[in-house]
Amino acid sequence: MTDRLTMQDPRAQYPQPPFPEQPQPAPGLAREMDPTPDHGETSYKGSGKLAGRKALVTGGDSGIGRAAAIAFAREGADVAISYLADEEADAQEVVRLIEADGRKAIALPGDIVNEDWCRRMVGEVVAGFGGLDLLVINAGRQQYRKSVEEVSSEDFDRTLKTNLYALHWIAQAAVPHLRPGSSVITTASIQAYDPSAILLDYATTKAGIVAYTKALAKQLIERGVRANVVAPGPIWTVLQPSGGQPQEKVRTFGEGSVFGRPGQPVELAPVYVLLASQEGSYINGEVYGVTGGAGVA
Ligand code: NAD
Ligand code: MG
């Protein structure tokens, strides 16, 4: 593969379908994916844009959150990552990468459907780093169900707790610690605007994340803090083969994009860095699409 910054046709830059079917139980491990996603492990180069910042990235063990965590560390930030206990192997790889950049890492295994844990987790970051400047609320649950009858109350509850309640609990615990220049970034989805039939509960939460973040942005700017949303399209992460999509859709994942391929997590990293950094100083309450051309309106 050529260097990611070399001028080239972006459609051919990363793997294209068909992909092998690769079922894993949720939440799944990125390290078992084929092909291996590019989270920027060797490809992301930093330039000091987040020097000295203290960051928390939920779901920072894998996928889009891992790409943000790696990029933030390369840009000079200390980074805490939250994840589920079953994801320890992925998380430890990220901790090693953060520390290899000479930055501090904090590993926070725990289930964010638990309100008490969400609040304690923020406290651990503040205590461990001596503050919190950058908050990336990115963890998410996506389990497809073919019909409305199959979306159980347990499904609905767990998806809303993971994607929306935890967003509120973590934001509420973190906001008192944010200083002027801090930044909050949430991960929604193109599903907020163009929902798939099989993602009823998930798409609902993604629309909620957009509204919540826009409202929060209006409050936080009064404190000199910005908040923005990233809305990805199809990205090659373990969310998809671990129940996010049926396996036949994993095989053709990204095929429907005009790029003919899914995005790689590292292709989101520059947007998270921009929104986190002081270079994003006039960007607030916005939704940044990284959809492979599908748009977010
Ligand atoms: P991923 O599976 O790599 O990351 C999701 C992470 O969420 C997991 O690693 C896990 O640590 C965390 N998580 C889930 N439930 C949790 C819980 N109860 N407690 C603690 N942590 C929990 O997949 P990803 O695609 O990188 O997902 C990151 C975000 O991107 C999600 O919000 C997802 O909805 C969003 N997104 C993904 C895509 C895509 O195509 N992959 C598209 C649009 C939006
Ligand atoms: Mg994971």
Side-chain angles (χ1 to χ4, degrees), residues 28 61-62 87 90:
D61 59 300
S62 59
E87 300 173 296
D90 272 356

Side-chain angles (χ1 to χ4, degrees), residues 169-195:
W169 294 328
I170 294 165
Q172 200 173 48
V175 160
H177 302 284
L178 302 177
R179 301 176 293 145
S182 288
S183 168
V184 178
I185 305 167
T186 60
T187 305
S189 171
I190 191 170
Q191 291 289 324
Y193 303 93
D194 185 14

